[in-house]
PDB file of all heavy atoms in Angstrom:
ATOM      1  N   ASP A   8      97.351 111.419  98.026  1.00 98.00           N
ATOM      2  CA  ASP A   8      98.479 111.124  97.217  1.00 98.00           C
ATOM      3  C   ASP A   8      97.890 110.346  96.075  1.00 98.00           C
ATOM      4  O   ASP A   8      96.715 109.832  96.082  1.00 98.00           O
ATOM      5  CB  ASP A   8      99.552 110.223  98.003  1.00 98.00           C
ATOM      6  CG  ASP A   8     100.588 109.789  97.077  1.00 98.00           C
ATOM      7  OD1 ASP A   8     101.169 110.592  96.264  1.00 98.00           O
ATOM      8  OD2 ASP A   8     100.952 108.570  97.191  1.00 98.00           O
ATOM      9  N   LEU A   9      98.617 110.159  94.903  1.00 98.00           N
ATOM     10  CA  LEU A   9      98.045 109.554  93.752  1.00 98.00           C
ATOM     11  C   LEU A   9      98.649 108.105  93.551  1.00 98.00           C
ATOM     12  O   LEU A   9      97.925 107.074  93.723  1.00 98.00           O
ATOM     13  CB  LEU A   9      98.267 110.421  92.492  1.00 98.00           C
ATOM     14  CG  LEU A   9      97.983 109.704  91.143  1.00 98.00           C
ATOM     15  CD1 LEU A   9      96.425 109.554  90.993  1.00 98.00           C
ATOM     16  CD2 LEU A   9      98.457 110.505  89.970  1.00 98.00           C
ATOM     17  N   ASP A  10      99.869 108.063  93.230  1.00 97.00           N
ATOM     18  CA  ASP A  10     100.595 106.776  92.856  1.00 97.00           C
ATOM     19  C   ASP A  10     100.619 105.917  94.121  1.00 97.00           C
ATOM     20  O   ASP A  10     101.273 106.285  95.161  1.00 97.00           O
ATOM     21  CB  ASP A  10     102.106 107.122  92.363  1.00 97.00           C
ATOM     22  CG  ASP A  10     102.018 107.978  91.118  1.00 97.00           C
ATOM     23  OD1 ASP A  10     101.342 107.620  90.179  1.00 97.00           O
ATOM     24  OD2 ASP A  10     102.710 109.035  91.157  1.00 97.00           O
ATOM     25  N   GLY A  11      99.929 104.800  94.057  1.00 96.00           N
ATOM     26  CA  GLY A  11      99.980 103.854  95.216  1.00 96.00           C
ATOM     27  C   GLY A  11      98.829 104.013  96.144  1.00 96.00           C
ATOM     28  O   GLY A  11      98.735 103.201  97.119  1.00 96.00           O
ATOM     29  N   VAL A  12      97.995 105.088  95.922  1.00 98.00           N
ATOM     30  CA  VAL A  12      96.968 105.319  96.895  1.00 98.00           C
ATOM     31  C   VAL A  12      95.603 105.248  96.081  1.00 98.00           C
ATOM     32  O   VAL A  12      94.613 104.497  96.400  1.00 98.00           O
ATOM     33  CB  VAL A  12      96.974 106.687  97.571  1.00 98.00           C
ATOM     34  CG1 VAL A  12      95.713 107.009  98.348  1.00 98.00           C
ATOM     35  CG2 VAL A  12      98.066 106.684  98.582  1.00 98.00           C
ATOM     36  N   ALA A  17     102.461 103.119  90.965  1.00 93.00           N
ATOM     37  CA  ALA A  17     103.772 102.980  91.620  1.00 93.00           C
ATOM     38  C   ALA A  17     104.591 101.884  90.867  1.00 93.00           C
ATOM     39  O   ALA A  17     105.785 101.981  90.711  1.00 93.00           O
ATOM     40  CB  ALA A  17     103.666 102.746  93.146  1.00 93.00           C
ATOM     41  N   LYS A  44     109.562 106.360  96.256  1.00 96.00           N
ATOM     42  CA  LYS A  44     108.152 106.689  96.279  1.00 96.00           C
ATOM     43  C   LYS A  44     107.929 108.044  96.894  1.00 96.00           C
ATOM     44  O   LYS A  44     108.453 108.434  97.930  1.00 96.00           O
ATOM     45  CB  LYS A  44     107.375 105.591  97.107  1.00 96.00           C
ATOM     46  CG  LYS A  44     107.305 104.274  96.474  1.00 96.00           C
ATOM     47  CD  LYS A  44     106.422 103.271  97.159  1.00 96.00           C
ATOM     48  CE  LYS A  44     106.307 101.952  96.420  1.00 96.00           C
ATOM     49  NZ  LYS A  44     105.552 100.959  97.128  1.00 96.00           N
ATOM     50  N   GLY A  45     107.119 108.829  96.221  1.00 97.00           N
ATOM     51  CA  GLY A  45     106.833 110.217  96.662  1.00 97.00           C
ATOM     52  C   GLY A  45     107.911 111.273  96.285  1.00 97.00           C
ATOM     53  O   GLY A  45     107.674 112.418  96.410  1.00 97.00           O
ATOM     54  N   LYS A 147     108.266 116.309  98.852  1.00 98.00           N
ATOM     55  CA  LYS A 147     108.079 115.465 100.090  1.00 98.00           C
ATOM     56  C   LYS A 147     109.448 114.922 100.441  1.00 98.00           C
ATOM     57  O   LYS A 147     110.258 114.640  99.598  1.00 98.00           O
ATOM     58  CB  LYS A 147     107.132 114.228  99.794  1.00 98.00           C
ATOM     59  CG  LYS A 147     105.751 114.760  99.375  1.00 98.00           C
ATOM     60  CD  LYS A 147     104.966 113.510  98.815  1.00 98.00           C
ATOM     61  CE  LYS A 147     103.621 114.046  98.220  1.00 98.00           C
ATOM     62  NZ  LYS A 147     102.733 112.932  97.650  1.00 98.00           N
ATOM     63  N   GLU A 171      98.623 108.610 102.217  1.00 98.00           N
ATOM     64  CA  GLU A 171      99.871 108.276 101.554  1.00 98.00           C
ATOM     65  C   GLU A 171     100.334 106.808 101.677  1.00 98.00           C
ATOM     66  O   GLU A 171      99.896 106.102 102.597  1.00 98.00           O
ATOM     67  CB  GLU A 171     100.938 109.123 102.302  1.00 98.00           C
ATOM     68  CG  GLU A 171     101.302 110.446 101.685  1.00 98.00           C
ATOM     69  CD  GLU A 171     102.024 110.345 100.423  1.00 98.00           C
ATOM     70  OE1 GLU A 171     102.474 109.253 100.039  1.00 98.00           O
ATOM     71  OE2 GLU A 171     102.213 111.393  99.734  1.00 98.00           O
ATOM     72  N   ASP A 172     101.095 106.412 100.720  1.00 97.00           N
ATOM     73  CA  ASP A 172     101.648 105.051 100.785  1.00 97.00           C
ATOM     74  C   ASP A 172     103.217 105.100 100.887  1.00 97.00           C
ATOM     75  O   ASP A 172     103.859 104.028 100.866  1.00 97.00           O
ATOM     76  CB  ASP A 172     101.321 104.223  99.435  1.00 97.00           C
ATOM     77  CG  ASP A 172     102.062 104.816  98.245  1.00 97.00           C
ATOM     78  OD1 ASP A 172     102.136 106.111  98.107  1.00 97.00           O
ATOM     79  OD2 ASP A 172     102.661 104.030  97.450  1.00 97.00           O
ATOM     80  N   SER A 173     103.748 106.312 101.023  1.00 96.00           N
ATOM     81  CA  SER A 173     105.231 106.471 101.005  1.00 96.00           C
ATOM     82  C   SER A 173     105.691 107.002 102.301  1.00 96.00           C
ATOM     83  O   SER A 173     104.939 107.751 102.949  1.00 96.00           O
ATOM     84  CB  SER A 173     105.779 107.274  99.849  1.00 96.00           C
ATOM     85  OG  SER A 173     105.390 108.628 100.127  1.00 96.00           O
TER      86      SER A 173
HETATM   87 MG1   MG B   2     102.500 107.307  96.457  1.00 62.61          MG
END
Side-chain angles (χ1 to χ4, degrees):
D8 173 45
L9 172 68
D10 301 307
V12 169
K44 290 186 177 174
K147 299 168 186 179
E171 266 288 351
D172 69 317
S173 71

